[in-house]
């Protein structure tokens, strides 16, 4: 028996029996749309009868460049079955059946592939349909649409050719819309369309065959390939084709068509949200060419149908246990569902919908936690327009227009009127706003490159809105006050003249558009649904979450974001501040220990106050403070800078007018020459592998002593003030037990001395970073002298790969990534095969020595969701990341637990 290539919508049981698989397998075979049409049919929801030609048929077609054997016979059989169900006949002038032919891949790719509607119309069936409906206008309008779509999609003709004819007809009749053309006008349009598309076949079966093949081929069309690349959809899935009985929303004033989501895709607010048009076909709604009405309006015009729509939407949402995006048509007062799918949503909506569904009992809390992608949490950190800047712009009358607020966040950039310019300018590092009348699938590359999107037409479900939301681009669409002259590359925006390259600022949350470049800020995370979701994540996760924070304000922010301590305070950052740098430089320049100590004595109170701030912010929580880490030359001017200064001083000296001036210049010259000698002495070919980290503490023990003293004195003061400080001291870049032992003793002694002086009892754990391969290899030994470990995976990646972390992301690593020699950037996502093995080994060996050893990670990987999953697998105690990543890490850590437990539970 030959393979089954075609399944009717009412044959889902057969599909199940054939696949013995999951819903995912069904979607892979029938495509998302086909699977859902079949499922809706099984649920008893009114779906126009039809069938799906499988993705397997598409792949076979693309491979053999022809339909697979048996497929066409199966299509014809399925068509006959539909004829029996509808009592209409394909190609029969007496009672013609018309069908649509739409693509439908496993993952939705809105507008990326092709659709042909009204298949089955020709001169004879058109006459038959007129007899049946008595509506010549509708029939000729449908006929011209078929030829236009067939011409562009199947025959590859340019749409402008057809639009030109329509524009001519409108002009001749003196009307603004196609709907106002007369029957005679439309007949004329049909005749001219046929002349443009002479290969348009009048045989309905031939129309269907060519349309199915065109949809198959559109899988490999440029815009589909671009979209898949951007959305990370595999290229080997193929698309299914859905052939479905046409129902018409343009049969008069008891007919309509629309799209709706069961909850707001922008905010997650419960309740049907969408648009509809009376007396129209679906493409009119989606293309944004006609002004749509909010779907609630249907309640006034057709209350019974609207009630049925609400009930159906509810049934679908309950069945799929997720927000649905539905397409419907009302034909002569009868409701039909044409499509349902999980609705695209903003990150904000994703969070709210997940939490609301769990609160309503539709899904579990665990499932809600799984439904939000960690990166979506970033939305809450999206830039927003600065409030003062906005107020100022309003005063200056620069708020020039308002449109639909379809994708939140603020975007500020220069205007580009076409996607290629947007892409090119973005590549040059410019922030761009893509400004178009409306967007089409061909514009996607420019939309992706742009910071924000602004269109004069289109609604909430227009292409621009959908794509913007999916990719998190702020967008304002349907701005009536925007009038674009694409030819001249100019526009008027609410009375302002705009040229390409002018600055505009838009607020995708309010729909407001400003001329000029407004300041933006990143908002605080105070969304109640997010807070709930993260609390649920906290209940699930095993990993602790700490922050890398150097300053009290960062520590405070980290704590409000949910950090459970500081995993890394890089003390050197404090020395770069302008009033401290000269003292630091004096310390480095010191020839004697006494001089060095005197400079350090000046630094001590500054360090102490830094640490005190951290202890106050993190009272009751551990604060890991790392001893100074970088090579000392980083604190001095460069050799070249000093050479220039010296030359300059010499020139000025030769022209000095007074003895005082000579004295002063000479003193400066000597000082610069001394510094240059020191810079030369400190010079190393590979400073990142040189005198830094623990090695500094060995060579200059006074520095480590000063830091230990500052930490413990600050802790004592915090206790006095009523706080509960929990300081821990960390030694960086260790690779051998003996160096760790020396520094540990040094630090422990100083800490004990301070505690004795202050008569305070406090435990101050001393641990080490594990950031060289050798440290990982001898971790069992290191644990004898370390109370805790923290993996510095930035250095550990650098030293394990032997790739400089400072040059990696501009150099050959990019070629490696482009050419697939590396799958992931190992400095962004932990390399589980190399670095990860070292981490795993070191954890095991360390805990063998010291079973209660706390082990964390404080490299950049600590905020990367994929790396966090590995950290969970290795049994780390916590991850530490930048304050802004803390919420992301909380969710990712919970998802690591749930992924381990297996797929999300149903029901
Ligand atoms: C690391 O190496 O991963 C680390 C956290 O230390 P730094 O980035 O300061 O070298
Ligand atoms: Mg490091």
């Amino acid at each position: 028996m030959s393979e089954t290539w075609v399944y009717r919508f009412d044959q889902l049981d057969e599909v199940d029996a054939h696949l013995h698989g999951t819903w995912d397998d069904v979607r892979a075979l029938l495509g998302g749309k086909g699977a859902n049409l079949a499922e809706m049919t099984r649920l008893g929801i009114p779906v126009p009868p039809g069938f799906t030609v499988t993705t397997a048929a598409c792949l076979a077609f693309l491979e053999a460049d022809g339909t697979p054997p048996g497929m066409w016979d199966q299509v014809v059989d399925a068509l006959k079955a539909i004829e029996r169900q509808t009592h209409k006949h394909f190609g029969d002038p007496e009672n013609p059946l018309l069908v649509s032919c739409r693509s439908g891949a496993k993952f939705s790719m809105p507008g990326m592939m092709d659709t042909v509607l009204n298949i089955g119309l020709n001169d004879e069936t058109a006459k038959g349909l007129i007899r049946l409906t008595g509506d010549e206008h509708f029939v000729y309008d449908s006929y011209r649409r078929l030829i236009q779509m067939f011409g562009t999609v199947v025959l590859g003709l340019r749409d402008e050719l057809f639009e030109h004819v329509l524009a001519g007809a409108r002009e001749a009749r003196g009307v603004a819309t196609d709907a106002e053309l007369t029957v005679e006008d439309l007949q004329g349009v049909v005749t001219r369309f046929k002349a443009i598309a002479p290969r348009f076949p009048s045989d309905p079966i031939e129309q269907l065959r060519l349309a199915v093949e065109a949809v198959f081929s559109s899988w490999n069309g440029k815009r589909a390939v671009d979209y898949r690349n951007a959305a990370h959809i595999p290229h080997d899935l193929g698309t299914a084709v859905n052939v479905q009985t046409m129902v018409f929303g343009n049969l008069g004033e008891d007919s309509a068509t629309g799209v709706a989501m069961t909850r707001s895709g922008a905010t997650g607010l419960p309740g049907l949200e969408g648009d509809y048009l009376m007396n129209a076909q679906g493409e009119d709604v989606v293309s944004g060419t006609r002004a749509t009405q909010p779907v609630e309006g249907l309640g006034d015009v057709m209350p019974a149908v609207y009630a049925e729509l609400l009930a159906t939407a509810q049934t679908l949402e309950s069945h799929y246990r997720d927000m649905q995006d539905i397409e419907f048509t009302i034909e002569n007062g009868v409701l039909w569902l044409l499509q349902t799918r999980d609705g695209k949503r903003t990150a904000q909506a994703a969070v709210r919908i997940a939490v609301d569904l769990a609160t309503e009992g539709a899904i579990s809390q665990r499932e809600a936690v799984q439904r939000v992608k960690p990166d979506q949490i970033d939305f809450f950190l999206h830039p927003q327009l600065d409030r003062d800047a906005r107020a100022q712009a309003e005063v200056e009358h620069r708020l020039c227009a308002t449109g639909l607020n379809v994708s939140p966040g603020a975007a500020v950039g220069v205007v580009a009127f076409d996607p290629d310019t947007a892409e090119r300018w973005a590549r040059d590092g410019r922030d761009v706003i893509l400004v178009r009348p409306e967007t089409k699938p061909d514009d996607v590359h420019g939309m992706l490159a742009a910071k924000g999107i602004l269109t004069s037409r289109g609604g909430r479900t227009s292409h621009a809105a959908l794509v913007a939301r999916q990719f998190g681009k702020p967008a304002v669409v349907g701005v009536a006050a925007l009038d674009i002259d694409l030819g001249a590359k100019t526009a008027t925006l609410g009375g302002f003249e705009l040229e390409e390259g002018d600055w505009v600022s838009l607020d995708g949350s309010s729909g407001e558009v400003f001329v000029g470049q407004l300041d933006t800020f990143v908002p605080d995370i105070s969304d109640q649904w997010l807070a709930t979701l993260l609390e649920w994540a906290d209940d699930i996760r095993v990993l602790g979450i700490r922050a890398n924070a150097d300053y009290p304000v960062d520590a405070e922010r980290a704590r409000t974001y949910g950090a459970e301590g500081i995993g890394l305070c890089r003390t050197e950052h404090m020395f770069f501040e302008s009033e401290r740098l000269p003292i630091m430089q004096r310390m480095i320049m010191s020839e004697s220990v006494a001089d060095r100590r005197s400079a350090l004595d000046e630094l001590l109170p500054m360090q102490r106050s830094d640490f005190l701030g951290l202890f106050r912010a993190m009272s009751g929580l551990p604060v890991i403070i790392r001893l100074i880490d970088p090579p000392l030359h980083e604190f001095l001017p460069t050799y070249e800078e000093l050479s220039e200064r010296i030359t300059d001083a010499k020139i000025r000296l030769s022209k000095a007018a007074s003895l005082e001036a000579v004295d002063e210049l000479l003193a400066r010259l000597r000082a610069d020459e001394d510094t240059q000698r020191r810079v030369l002495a400190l010079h190393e070919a590979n400073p990142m592998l040189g005198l830094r980290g623990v090695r500094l503490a060995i060579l200059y023990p006074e520095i480590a002593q000063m830091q230990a003293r500052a930490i413990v004195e600050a802790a004592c003061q915090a206790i006095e003030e009523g706080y509960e400080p929990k300081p821990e001291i960390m030694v960086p870049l260790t690779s051998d037990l003996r160096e760790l032992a020396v520094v540990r003793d040094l630090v422990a002694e100083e800490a004990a001395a301070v505690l004795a002086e202050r008569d305070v009892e406090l435990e101050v754990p001393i641990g080490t970073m594990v950031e060289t391969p050798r440290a990982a290899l001898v971790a069992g030994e290191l644990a004898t002298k370390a109370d805790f470990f923290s993996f510095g995976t930035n250095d550990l990646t650098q030293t394990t790969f032997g790739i400089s972390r400072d040059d990696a992301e501009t150099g050959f690593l990019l070629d490696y990534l482009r050419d697939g020699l590396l799958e992931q950037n190992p400095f962004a996502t932990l390399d589980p095969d190399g670095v990860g093995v070292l981490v795993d080994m070191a954890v095991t060996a360390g805990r063998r020595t010291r079973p209660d050893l706390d082990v964390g990670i404080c490299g950049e990987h600590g905020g990367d969701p994929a790396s966090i999953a590995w950290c969970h697998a290795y049994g780390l105690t916590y991850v530490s990341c930048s304050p802004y990543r803390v919420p992301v890490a909380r969710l990712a850590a919970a998802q690591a637990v749930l992924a381990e437990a297996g797929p999300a539970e149903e029901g």
Side-chain angles (χ1 to χ4, degrees):
M1 212 179 78
S2 80
E3 190 163 341
T4 306
W5 305 107
V6 175
Y7 289 99
R8 291 194 317 273
F9 298 160
D10 57 7
Q11 285 182 308
L12 191 53
D13 291 343
E14 277 90 326
V15 177
D16 284 341
H18 167 71
L19 284 177
H20 295 296
T22 60
W23 180 238
D24 206 51
D25 298 323
V26 175
R27 281 163 38 97
L29 184 68
L30 300 183
K33 185 183 291 182
N36 284 336
L37 286 167
E39 182 77 343
M40 283 200 286
T41 304
R42 183 152 72 181
L43 287 171
I45 284 169
V47 171
F51 58 85
T52 303
V53 190
T54 65
T55 55
C58 171
L59 294 175
F61 171 86
L62 292 175
E63 190 169 323
D65 205 14
T67 48
M71 185 197 105
W72 196 249
D73 293 339
Q74 293 176 23
V75 168
V76 171
D77 284 350
L79 206 53
K80 286 199 183 115
I82 296 179
E83 289 178 338
R84 285 193 294 277
Q85 279 173 288
T86 59
H87 309 292
K88 297 179 182 180
H89 298 281
F90 201 50
D92 176 4
E94 296 308 313
N95 190 11
L97 170 70
L98 303 191
V99 296
S100 62
C101 180
R102 295 174 209 255
S103 61
K106 177 175 179 183
F107 302 107
S108 116
M109 299 166 50
M112 294 300 136
M113 288 180 299
D114 290 330
T115 291
V116 184
L117 303 179
N118 305 334
I119 295 172
L121 274 177
N122 55 26
D123 292 352
E124 280 69 45
T125 54
K127 286 191 197 106
L129 202 59
I130 292 168
R131 275 196 301 279
L132 284 174
T133 60
D135 190 341
E136 270 187 289
H137 191 279
F138 151 69
V139 174
Y140 281 107
D141 190 46
S142 303
Y143 196 11
R144 73 93 190 157
R145 285 173 195 261
L146 168 64
I147 305 171
Q148 185 169 0
M149 277 192 251
F150 197 94
T152 52
V153 169
V154 183
L155 304 176
L157 298 166
R158 282 186 302 123
D159 197 38
E160 287 80 32
L161 297 172
F162 298 99
E163 287 297 333
H164 183 72
V165 171
L166 281 170
R170 286 196 300 267
E171 202 177 295
R173 181 61 56 191
V175 294
T177 65
D178 296 339
E180 295 164 275
L181 294 175
T182 65
V183 171
E184 292 69 39
D185 296 337
L186 288 171
Q187 282 171 329
V189 167
V190 166
T191 309
R192 262 169 280 163
F193 276 12
K194 283 203 244 170
I196 295 172
R199 288 191 294 125
F200 169 72
S202 58
D203 174 9
I205 285 284
E206 190 62 4
Q207 291 171 5
L208 182 61
R209 190 179 66 77
L210 292 173
V212 169
E213 292 185 4
V215 173
F216 279 162
S217 300
S218 71
W219 174 256
N220 282 337
K222 179 173 172 353
R223 61 179 201 247
V225 172
D226 284 350
Y227 185 93
R228 289 200 295 274
N229 283 336
H232 303 292
I233 296 174
H235 293 290
D236 59 357
L237 303 175
T239 179
V241 181
N242 298 295
V243 177
Q244 188 172 22
T245 310
M246 286 295 302
V247 287
F248 295 98
N250 53 346
L251 276 184
E253 290 310 310
D254 60 351
S255 300
T257 186
V259 290
M261 298 199 186
T262 56
R263 293 168 196 246
S264 162
T267 63
L269 191 75
L272 202 65
E273 182 185 274
D275 310 288
Y276 81 102
L277 276 173
M278 292 303 291
N279 196 13
Q281 275 199 316
E283 51 167 352
D284 300 329
V285 178
V286 180
S287 69
T289 44
R290 272 176 63 185
T292 54
Q293 301 296 317
V295 72
E296 312 82 270
L298 259 182
D300 300 329
V301 207
M302 300 186 204
V305 181
Y306 185 60
E308 191 187 348
L309 178 66
L310 286 178
T312 307
Q314 189 53 55
T315 306
L316 286 169
E317 189 181 274
S318 307
H319 179 75
Y320 287 104
R321 302 161 62 248
D322 200 357
M323 186 265 267
Q324 295 296 296
D325 173 355
I326 60 183
E327 282 179 24
F328 62 91
T329 284
I330 301 163
E331 185 186 71
N332 297 135
V334 178
L335 175 70
W336 295 98
L337 270 285
L338 301 182
Q339 161 148 300
T340 190
R341 58 186 166 188
D342 290 348
K344 298 248 186 279
R345 63 205 77 183
T346 62
Q348 185 191 7
V351 169
R352 173 158 185 183
I353 290 169
V355 170
D356 282 351
L357 285 174
T359 310
E360 290 159 20
I363 61 175
S364 67
Q365 289 182 2
R366 294 164 77 85
E367 207 174 351
V369 167
Q370 276 171 304
R371 288 223 177 152
V372 176
K373 295 193 196 85
D375 287 343
Q376 289 181 306
I377 304 294
D378 274 344
F379 159 80
F380 295 88
L381 311 162
H382 252 338
Q384 304 287 332
L385 291 181
D386 176 78
R387 209 184 300 179
D388 291 343
R390 174 202 291 266
Q392 183 66 24
E394 279 186 40
V395 171
E396 292 167 7
H397 303 291
R398 287 192 284 127
L399 166 57
C400 46
T402 306
L404 292 175
N405 53 338
V406 293
S407 187
V412 178
V414 293
V415 171
F417 288 117
D418 71 85
D420 294 338
T421 306
E423 192 180 43
R424 203 173 58 249
W425 284 358
R427 224 184 286 129
D428 293 343
R430 299 174 77 178
D431 291 345
V432 181
I433 305 291
L434 181 65
V435 180
R436 300 284 289 168
E438 65 211 318
T439 65
K440 296 211 167 108
D442 289 347
D443 300 333
V444 167
H445 61 292
M447 301 172 78
L448 291 175
K451 289 276 176 217
I453 293 147
L454 180 62
T455 70
S456 53
R457 297 204 285 260
R460 213 163 281 286
T461 44
S462 64
H463 177 263
L466 284 181
V467 174
R469 231 177 280 145
Q470 188 181 7
F471 290 104
K473 301 273 174 198
V476 178
V477 306
V479 180
L482 172 63
D483 191 359
I484 307 170
D485 182 342
L486 285 180
K489 291 196 177 251
T490 57
T492 55
L493 182 58
F496 286 84
E497 298 293 332
L498 277 186
E499 292 191 2
E500 205 156 48
D502 286 349
W503 283 91
V504 289
S505 306
L506 58 89
D507 184 343
S509 313
S510 68
E512 294 162 296
V513 188
F514 300 83
V515 287
Q517 184 181 8
L518 269 63
D519 286 343
T520 56
F521 77 102
V522 174
D524 234 26
I525 300 193
S526 54
D527 181 276
Q528 71 180 94
W529 288 274
L530 180 65
T532 304
L533 187 81
L534 291 177
E535 275 166 29
W536 293 348
D538 291 343
D539 290 341
I540 296 165
R541 70 184 159 87
V542 178
L543 276 169
I545 311 291
R546 298 188 192 174
N548 292 356
D550 305 333
Y551 299 100
V553 3
D554 299 328
E556 279 158 24
R557 173 177 295 126
R559 192 163 191 168
T560 56
Y561 287 180
E564 298 156 322
I566 291 183
L568 174 65
C569 164
R570 291 178 165 102
T571 51
E572 57 271 12
H573 288 175
M574 302 163 170
F575 296 129
F576 283 109
E577 288 181 11
S578 56
E579 76 275 22
R580 302 180 185 191
L581 194 57
I583 313 174
M584 186 67 184
Q585 290 175 340
R586 224 174 62 230
M587 192 275 291
I588 298 169
M589 297 292 298
S590 310
E591 304 279 349
S592 68
V593 173
D595 283 352
R596 192 171 310 122
R597 276 198 194 284
S598 125
L600 286 167
D601 284 347
E602 276 187 64
L603 287 172
L604 176 83
M606 300 174 179
Q607 284 259 277
R608 194 170 48 217
S609 78
D610 295 330
F611 300 143
L612 182 59
L614 292 181
F615 296 142
R616 285 179 184 144
M618 283 285 167
S619 183
L621 297 172
V623 174
I624 297 185
I625 298 171
R626 181 178 73 183
L627 299 179
I628 188 170
D629 184 28
L632 292 182
H633 76 267
E634 284 194 10
F635 298 97
L636 298 177
T638 64
Y639 186 85
E640 291 72 23
E641 247 175 277
L642 288 161
S643 293
E644 264 177 42
R645 266 154 55 173
I646 289 167
T647 312
D648 185 53
K650 282 181 180 163
I651 294 170
R652 292 221 251 147
L653 202 54
S654 67
K655 298 178 186 160
S658 69
L659 266 179
E660 286 86 356
V662 169
D663 280 349
E664 197 199 313
L665 283 166
L666 263 181
R668 284 229 303 263
L669 181 64
R670 296 273 135 73
D672 283 343
E673 281 173 345
D674 284 349
T675 309
Q676 201 180 33
R677 263 194 297 281
R678 189 79 178 122
V679 166
L680 208 56
L682 287 172
H683 173 78
E684 295 172 296
N686 292 308
M688 284 302 271
L689 301 177
L691 180 56
R692 57 172 284 222
V694 65
R695 302 157 200 170
L696 279 171
I698 305 258
L699 255 75
Y700 305 107
E702 311 78 42
I703 308 179
Q705 277 165 335
M706 180 279 282
Q707 291 199 296
R709 173 164 285 272
I711 293 166
V712 182
E713 284 183 355
C716 292
Q717 190 172 333
I719 292 171
E720 249 172 56
E721 292 177 10
Y723 294 97
E724 195 194 338
K726 294 192 154 191
E728 305 190 16
I729 299 177
M730 181 155 74
V731 182
L733 212 76
T734 314
S735 51
D736 185 80
L737 177 64
R738 278 161 297 187
E739 57 184 2
L740 177 61
V742 170
V743 175
R744 183 196 169 97
D745 289 349
L746 189 80
V747 167
E749 224 170 82
E750 192 70 21
V754 176
L755 291 173
E757 285 161 25
R758 303 289 176 105
D759 197 18
V760 169
E761 273 189 33
L762 182 69
E763 221 191 305
V764 183
I766 299 169
T768 184
M769 295 194 71
V770 177
E771 49 184 349
T772 64
R774 193 173 192 285
L777 294 168
V778 300
E781 278 181 31
L782 291 183
T784 60
K785 289 286 176 191
D787 299 321
F788 61 87
F789 282 175
S790 178
F791 288 99
T793 42
N794 302 331
D795 275 311
L796 191 57
T797 301
Q798 160 168 267
T799 46
T800 301
F801 274 86
I803 296 178
S804 159
R805 62 190 263 194
D806 299 313
D807 304 319
E809 269 131 312
T810 52
F812 62 88
L813 194 68
L814 298 180
D815 300 73
Y816 270 46
L817 290 166
R818 187 198 56 215
D819 298 343
L821 286 174
L822 275 172
E823 256 171 48
Q824 318 244 35
N825 176 352
F827 289 99
T829 297
L830 192 80
D831 151 50
D833 303 327
V835 179
V837 173
L838 286 170
V839 172
D840 199 17
M841 257 177 60
V843 175
T844 309
R847 292 220 173 111
R848 207 175 293 129
T849 305
R850 199 188 276 259
D852 60 348
L853 187 78
D854 268 357
V855 184
I857 178 175
C858 61
E860 290 313 302
H861 307 88
D864 168 63
S867 310
I868 290 171
W870 285 112
C871 293
H872 173 74
Y874 301 143
L876 261 53
T877 320
Y878 65 86
V879 297
S880 188
C881 54
S882 79
Y884 283 112
R885 298 298 287 174
V886 164
V888 176
R890 288 163 69 190
L891 185 66
Q895 291 185 343
V897 175
L898 297 173
E900 210 174 42
E905 68 268 42
E906 298 275 324

